[in-house]
Amino acid sequence: MIRRYDEAPERELHTQGLVARKLVSDVDSDRLGVTHMKIDGSHPPVTLTESDAAYFVLEGEGWFKIGSDETAIIGPNDVAFVAAGTVFEYGGTMHFLNIQSPPFIQS
């Protein structure tokens, strides 16, 4: 499968300032999801109960608060890893890849 970036629809998510393009979704694979995301703001605390997630920053700068860890500043080429069942939040002005296994299924 080849998915062209421009062919993946861009959509605004429930969090103000968060835009996503699903590049590999649960329709494509039941084992992996890849989404290009842009944020200019913050995402409130959330817990992914079924998926491990990695957030690879492509450009910009932001912050992550994962579980009881202190808030960390992240930038290009940094990765934030969140294990399933861990509460986390993030924010900033950045573009990043969100890689999840299994893929997040929007309900």
Side-chain angles (χ1 to χ4, degrees):
M1 175 190 96
I2 302 293
R3 169 107 359 100
R4 306 282 180 215
Y5 179 82
D6 290 341
E7 294 172 359
E10 184 174 272
R11 55 178 257 237
E12 291 188 39
L13 301 181
H14 62 279
T15 300
Q16 185 175 3
L18 186 61
V19 177
R21 285 182 194 253
K22 284 197 173 214
L23 304 174
V24 179
S25 73
D26 60 301
V27 173
D28 306 309
S29 170
D30 62 354
R31 300 177 127 189
L32 180 71
V34 179
T35 305
H36 177 262
M37 302 180 88
K38 297 185 271 188
I39 191 167
D40 188 7
S42 62
H43 191 290
V46 64
T47 302
L48 300 176
T49 57
E50 303 293 325
S51 300
D52 288 341
Y55 296 80
F56 180 79
V57 179
L58 300 167
E59 64 181 69
E61 186 174 271
W63 56 268
F64 267 78
K65 169 91 172 102
I66 302 168
S68 61
D69 293 347
E70 291 188 28
T71 301
I73 302 298
I74 60 173
N77 300 318
D78 291 339
V79 176
F81 174 75
V82 181
T86 305
V87 65
F88 69 102
E89 59 186 299
Y90 60 91
T93 301
M94 57 185 167
H95 290 223
F96 56 94
L97 289 178
N98 175 358
I99 304 158
Q100 294 185 358
S101 180
F104 177 75
I105 300 172
Q106 187 80 35
S107 54

